[in-house]
Amino acid sequence: MANGSVKRNSPPCWRPRHRAAAIMTIHPTAIVENGAQLGDDVDIGPYCIVGANVSIGDGSRLHSHVTIAGRTSIGPGAIIHPFVSLGGPPQHLGYKGEDTALQIGANVIIREHTTMNIGTADGGGVTRIGDNGMFMTGAHVAHDCVVADNVIFANNATLGGHVRIAENVFIGGMAAIHQHCRIGANAFVGGCAAVSGDVIPFGSAFGNHARLMGLNIIGLKRRGLSRKAIHELRAGYRMLFEGEGAFRERLPAVRDAFGENVDVAAILDFIEEDGARSIMGPAR
């Protein structure tokens, strides 16, 4: 049951549990189903629909025409723009109505026409979105994806199912990430890229199909890495991808040479995890 003070008469399907200090506002045209959990100071705009199994954190705002369904939880401070659809069933023929979920963190900004689906039973059952993300117009997060904190999706960026996006990643407009791919921390995916392999941490991927074009140097500088740290990271990258012998055979040598560098070690750890997709390599 939602709680808090409301600026209008509640519809028959919704009743405040108690009066709180913060003011909750629900537009008269909005529908909030019985059972929904609304935090303090939540603002529900015109023609929004909030399902019975939805919880929305304190201070969140739904502008208008937002639909939130399924077992969806949203952290505090979310700003959700018109015609967003959250918690809909996965676009997967194997889904048979199982009780799965969508979990969204705090302080996310979700722009118009973005869609995020609940998980599937076979995929772990939960689609997860971290804190402080920005999802621009038309972005899509498919079933069972895990998106970490501080991630930005530009317009119409799309994830297939089971994708893993680490923290501080930027995905360019119209980019599409194939199902089961991994994108490492601090990576950059260029606009219109078609990504069918794992992108290493700090990597920069462009093209259709996308290839690794080096490191995300601009992103590294913006995050305050020193000149020395960037120099060592570039040296480790060159040894890993441009050295002699087979790619996998070079891993021990790179770890011996740069293992004390935490950023190079993060790349090596990512590669050695052996995800479902191959590691994306540089263009030749």
Side-chain angles (χ1 to χ4, degrees):
M1 181 76 71
N3 55 57
S5 299
V6 186
K7 279 189 175 178
R8 66 164 175 87
N9 293 328
S10 302
C13 64
W14 184 91
R15 289 287 185 271
R17 179 181 297 168
H18 63 273
R19 181 173 296 277
I23 299 298
M24 180 191 305
T25 58
I26 300 177
H27 193 273
T29 60
I31 297 174
V32 179
E33 294 182 0
N34 187 39
Q37 302 284 333
L38 304 184
D40 292 338
D41 200 26
V42 168
D43 184 359
I44 308 293
Y47 300 103
C48 293
I49 300 175
V50 179
N53 297 315
V54 171
S55 66
I56 302 176
D58 296 348
S60 294
R61 181 182 182 190
L62 280 58
H63 280 259
S64 73
H65 298 87
V66 174
T67 299
I68 307 179
R71 186 155 57 88
T72 297
S73 62
I74 301 172
I79 300 175
I80 305 175
H81 287 256
F83 302 104
V84 166
S85 177
L86 304 176
Q91 298 175 105
H92 191 295
L93 293 175
Y95 179 72
K96 305 301 181 186
E98 295 88 351
D99 181 24
T100 56
L102 169 65
Q103 298 175 355
I104 300 174
N107 303 313
V108 295
I109 298 172
I110 304 177
R111 294 302 302 263
E112 297 84 352
H113 299 282
T114 290
T115 55
M116 299 179 181
N117 298 148
I118 57 176
T120 63
D122 291 340
V126 181
T127 303
R128 292 187 175 89
I129 310 294
D131 299 340
N132 306 313
M134 182 175 184
F135 300 84
M136 300 184 196
T137 300
H140 175 66
V141 178
H143 58 87
D144 305 300
C145 289
V146 176
V147 179
D149 298 342
N150 306 309
V151 170
I152 297 175
F153 283 45
N155 293 2
N156 297 297
T158 298
L159 303 186
H162 312 278
V163 170
R164 301 291 186 265
I165 307 290
E167 64 272 12
N168 303 317
V169 168
F170 183 96
I171 301 178
M174 306 291 290
I177 316 298
H178 197 285
Q179 61 188 27
H180 293 285
C181 282
R182 298 178 300 148
I183 310 296
N186 301 289
F188 182 94
V189 176
C192 298
V195 177
S196 58
D198 292 347
V199 179
I200 61 169
F202 312 103
S204 186
F206 288 84
N208 186 1
H209 282 54
R211 302 299 296 173
L212 199 62
M213 297 296 183
L215 296 173
N216 181 19
I217 299 300
I218 293 175
L220 298 177
K221 290 179 178 178
R222 286 176 176 171
R223 291 182 175 86
L225 265 73
S226 67
R227 183 185 296 270
K228 178 182 178 182
I230 293 175
H231 177 76
E232 289 185 357
L233 189 56
R234 295 179 82 166
Y237 174 90
R238 286 194 296 268
M239 185 175 181
L240 180 61
F241 287 103
E242 300 172 12
E244 297 181 356
F247 173 69
R248 292 282 174 176
E249 295 172 352
R250 293 195 292 267
L251 294 176
V254 177
R255 194 174 289 278
D256 288 343
F258 297 98
E260 295 183 359
N261 183 300
V262 294
D263 298 325
V264 176
I267 294 175
L268 297 175
D269 292 343
F270 179 89
I271 294 170
E272 290 173 349
E273 284 179 8
D274 282 333
R277 297 285 167 186
S278 60
I279 299 295
M280 181 183 294
R284 298 296 183 186

